[in-house]
């Protein structure tokens, strides 16, 4: 992409006096050959499910963003493979095993994917926009569609495949958390951008000189792009003919003074009262925005100079990062603020429209992100129970399975209530209350009652007390169909998880064996 951008910036997209004729149509056809990779999947699904079902499955993969996920996955492998080659070593990334439909906040997404995907997506998009502005070769869409698709994948995949991403309350909450994380100074990488950036770029110190030379070459490429933008006629204006109403030099001095005040404010804000701190922060922010807009309006040449300076400063920062200069950290902070808002502005717009939220939930989760998210599993268990005659032997697995389902329903309803998708309820909800109609217990046995209710609940004997059971740290539905069993009719008393009377903590020991505390300790 930088090759095409540099050719367009310096107006050398030609051989002699003949402009290069790109083969955009051929490139699109060659890119379409990648669809042939779906033929084995189509054939396999056709044999197993039928050809019409196979075709519907392939179409569903495409409309839900399957190609974007595949490209994102390949970039993850490519990035860490390159890191291993250039630096060596490896580091464990704890991804966790959270709730299956749990929303991941923006600050966590940024920590995981900024270096490997988000930066690259923004960089490719900027280079493609520059190329589109300066190119004269034509067939822009045919030449760049694959790069735009890759950029869209890197920027959109972490959010498209994240539940509740386009819900307004969630987006606003994510934005507040991200701003708090960006301005945090203590608490480790989970609480502070500064700590995260230091850890994320610590490997530059261990890079061999051969690997650093690659970054220096990339910095030279940035300088080449900056020089091409500076010498171009983008937003060029003659200030001698149109004299600015306000001197641009005075506005720049005003902006510089505001930046100094912002630095002083950042050092002393904790000693200020909240109303004063809030007011001063708003005034400084509005002053900076007004000053920058005034400069661009009074002299449009400054837009071109700002773009050139952005690439030039990026080149210097990349070289400084390779040699351990700490001053570049402040420039990377500005870069991350810009990248974050490039992502958040579309998210706020899509959340305000509300339609993307329903489309995402319908396509990816089949409307399962609701209070009855585990209804299918519960009904499948009830169906097998009914086929077995209405009675199954109560055992430890049965209690664990139903309790796990109940926990999943309660956790999902709590999540929905927090984001405003469902009203908060006190005590048991409709999903958990219905379990009593399906699973009930008598004095000494637990009987599964066949019923047509939506979701079951577990009802235990009032005279019994449940011993605490160790729960899964992940909260995932891990029991599946194989653990459901084919229990037939039968009765049994509830095991050691319930007791009718307080019992001692001791367990029966093997016959003929006893253990006593020795009177004296053996010598060392």
């Amino acid at each position: 992409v930088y090759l095409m951008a540099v050719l367009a910036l310096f107006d050398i997209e030609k051989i002699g006096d003949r402009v290069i004729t790109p083969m955009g149509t051929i490139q699109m056809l060659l890119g379409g050959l990648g669809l042939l990779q779906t033929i084995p999947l189509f054939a396999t699904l056709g044999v197993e499910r039928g050809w019409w079902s196979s075709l519907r499955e392939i179409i569903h993969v495409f409309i839900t963003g399957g190609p974007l996920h595949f490209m994102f996955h390949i970039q993850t492998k490519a990035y860490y493979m390159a890191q291993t080659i250039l630096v060596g070593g490896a580091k464990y990334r704890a991804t966790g095993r959270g709730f299956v439909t749990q929303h991941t906040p923006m600050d966590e997404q940024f920590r995981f994917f900024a270096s490997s995907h988000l930066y690259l997506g923004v960089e490719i998009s900027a280079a493609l926009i520059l190329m589109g502005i300066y190119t004269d070769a034509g067939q822009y869409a045919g030449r760049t569609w694959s790069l735009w698709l890759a950029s869209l994948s890197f920027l959109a995949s972490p959010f498209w495949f994240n539940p509740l991403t386009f819900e307004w309350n969630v987006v606003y909450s994510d934005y507040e958390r991200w701003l708090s994380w960006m301005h945090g100074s203590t608490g480790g990488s989970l609480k502070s951008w500064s700590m995260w950036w230091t850890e994320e770029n610590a490997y530059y110190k261990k890079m061999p000189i051969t690997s650093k030379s690659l970054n220096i070459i990339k910095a030279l490429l940035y300088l080449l792009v900056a020089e091409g933008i500076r010498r171009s006629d983008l937003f060029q204006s003659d200030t001698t003919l149109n004299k600015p109403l306000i001197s641009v030099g005075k506005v720049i001095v005003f902006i510089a003074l505001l930046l100094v005040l912002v630095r002083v404010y950042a050092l002393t804000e904790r000693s200020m009262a909240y109303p004063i701190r809030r007011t001063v922060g708003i005034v400084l922010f509005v002053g900076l925005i007004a000053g920058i807009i005034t400069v661009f309006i009074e002299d449009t040449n400054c837009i071109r100079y700002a773009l050139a300076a952005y690439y030039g400063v990026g080149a210097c920062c990349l070289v400084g990062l390779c040699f351990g200069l700490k001053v570049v950290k402040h420039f990377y902070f500005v870069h991350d603020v810009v990248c974050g808002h490039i992502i958040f502005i579309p998210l706020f717009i899509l959340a305000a429209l509300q339609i993307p939220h329903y489309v995402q939930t319908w396509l990816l989760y089949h409307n399962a992100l609701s209070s009855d998210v585990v209804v299918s599993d519960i009904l499948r268990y009830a169906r097998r129970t009914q086929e077995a005659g209405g009675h199954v032997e109560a055992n430890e697995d049965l209690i664990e399975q139903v309790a796990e389902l109940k926990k999943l329903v309660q956790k999902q309803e709590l999540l929905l209530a927090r984001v405003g998708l469902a009203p908060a309820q006190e005590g048991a909800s409709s999903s958990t209350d219905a379990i009593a109609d399906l699973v009930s217990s008598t004095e000494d046995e637990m009987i599964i009652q066949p019923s047509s209710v939506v979701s079951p609940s577990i009802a235990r004997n009032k005279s019994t007390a449940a011993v605490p059971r160790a729960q899964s740290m992940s909260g995932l539905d891990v029991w599946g169909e194989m653990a459901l069993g084919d229990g037939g009719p039968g009765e049994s008393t509830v095991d050691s998880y319930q007791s009718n009377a307080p019992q001692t903590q001791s367990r029966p020991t093997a016959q003929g064996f006893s253990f006593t505390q020795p009177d004296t300790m053996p010598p060392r």
Side-chain angles (χ1 to χ4, degrees), residues 343-360:
I343 294 171
F344 265 113
I345 290 174
L347 287 180
F348 273 113
I349 294 175
L350 294 175
L353 296 176
Q354 296 186 357
I355 296 178
H357 165 68
Y358 295 103
V359 172
Q360 181 201 33

Side-chain angles (χ1 to χ4, degrees), residues 188-219:
S189 61
L190 299 180
K191 299 295 184 180
S192 170
W193 173 91
S194 179
M195 299 292 184
W196 169 81
W197 187 89
T198 302
E199 295 178 3
E200 192 73 14
N201 298 281
Y203 68 90
Y204 279 98
K205 299 178 182 178
K206 302 182 293 182
M207 288 180 68
I209 190 64
T210 54
S211 299
K212 290 182 179 179
S213 63
L214 295 177
N215 287 325
I216 294 175
I217 294 174
K218 188 176 182 179

Side-chain angles (χ1 to χ4, degrees), residues 402-415:
V402 180
E404 193 72 21
L405 290 176
K406 182 179 179 180
K407 287 185 61 179
L408 286 175
V409 173
Q410 292 174 342
K411 189 171 184 178
Q412 187 70 286
E413 290 179 344
L414 179 61
L415 176 63

Side-chain angles (χ1 to χ4, degrees), residues 38-58:
T38 61
I39 293 179
L41 177 62
F42 177 74
T44 303
L45 293 177
V47 172
E48 294 179 353
R49 306 180 185 178
W51 300 110
W52 176 243
S53 298
S54 176
L55 180 61
R56 287 192 303 174
E57 184 70 21
I58 296 296

Side-chain angles (χ1 to χ4, degrees), residues 133-150:
I133 293 174
Y134 290 100
T135 186
D136 294 325
Q139 299 190 23
Y140 177 78
R143 297 157 60 196
T144 61
W145 69 272
S146 58
L147 294 172
W148 276 114
L149 186 62

Side-chain angles (χ1 to χ4, degrees), residues 393-456:
E393 182 179 359
N395 52 29
E396 178 182 346
D397 291 337
L398 171 62
I399 299 173
E400 290 182 0
Q401 291 165 10
V402 180
E404 193 72 21
L405 290 176
K406 182 179 179 180
K407 287 185 61 179
L408 286 175
V409 173
Q410 292 174 342
K411 189 171 184 178
Q412 187 70 286
E413 290 179 344
L414 179 61
L415 176 63
L416 293 169
R418 287 179 177 177
V419 300
L421 294 180
Q425 300 179 357
E426 296 292 338
S429 62
S430 58
S431 299
T432 55
D433 287 342
I435 302 180
D437 296 330
L438 186 62
V439 182
S440 61
S441 61
T442 58
E443 293 183 359
D444 294 325
E445 64 181 359
M446 178 180 289
I447 302 176
I448 306 297
Q449 303 289 349
S451 176
S452 60
V453 295
V454 174
S455 58

Side-chain angles (χ1 to χ4, degrees), residues 5-226:
V6 168
L7 291 176
L9 284 170
F10 289 92
D11 195 20
I12 53 179
E13 292 181 312
K14 51 188 172 182
I15 301 175
D17 294 333
R18 183 170 63 87
V19 178
I20 297 175
T21 303
M23 299 297 180
T25 305
I26 296 179
Q27 293 183 21
M28 295 185 69
L29 291 176
L30 292 176
L33 292 177
L35 298 176
L36 296 177
Q37 297 180 3
T38 61
I39 293 179
L41 177 62
F42 177 74
T44 303
L45 293 177
V47 172
E48 294 179 353
R49 306 180 185 178
W51 300 110
W52 176 243
S53 298
S54 176
L55 180 61
R56 287 192 303 174
E57 184 70 21
I58 296 296
I59 295 175
H60 183 264
V61 168
F62 276 89
I63 65 176
T64 54
L68 298 181
H69 184 274
F70 175 76
M71 298 175 68
F72 189 89
H73 173 68
I74 293 299
Q75 170 58 22
T76 303
K77 290 185 176 181
Y79 174 79
Y80 288 105
M81 180 67 71
Q83 293 294 94
T84 304
I85 295 174
L86 295 177
V87 185
K91 181 179 179 181
Y92 174 71
R93 290 288 187 181
T95 59
R97 299 294 184 269
F99 192 48
V100 64
T101 54
Q102 181 177 1
H103 174 78
T104 304
M106 169 61 181
D107 56 329
E108 186 173 343
Q109 299 268 42
F110 199 91
R111 288 194 301 270
F112 280 151
F113 305 122
S115 299
S116 57
H117 297 83
L118 301 183
Y119 293 160
L120 182 60
V122 172
E123 187 176 350
I124 293 176
S125 300
L128 290 173
I129 292 173
L130 288 175
M131 175 194 166
I133 293 174
Y134 290 100
T135 186
D136 294 325
Q139 299 190 23
Y140 177 78
R143 297 157 60 196
T144 61
W145 69 272
S146 58
L147 294 172
W148 276 114
L149 186 62
S151 177
L152 178 65
S153 171
F154 301 157
L155 293 176
S157 292
F159 309 100
W160 173 250
F161 297 103
N162 189 21
L164 305 177
T165 296
F166 305 109
E167 185 68 27
W168 178 266
N169 295 334
V170 176
V171 175
Y172 184 77
S173 175
D174 285 354
Y175 185 67
E176 286 188 332
R177 289 189 56 172
W178 180 76
L179 288 179
S180 176
W181 176 72
M182 289 293 295
H183 293 90
S185 57
T186 58
S189 61
L190 299 180
K191 299 295 184 180
S192 170
W193 173 91
S194 179
M195 299 292 184
W196 169 81
W197 187 89
T198 302
E199 295 178 3
E200 192 73 14
N201 298 281
Y203 68 90
Y204 279 98
K205 299 178 182 178
K206 302 182 293 182
M207 288 180 68
I209 190 64
T210 54
S211 299
K212 290 182 179 179
S213 63
L214 295 177
N215 287 325
I216 294 175
I217 294 174
K218 188 176 182 179
L220 294 175
L221 184 60
Y222 287 165
L223 289 176
L224 191 62
V225 173

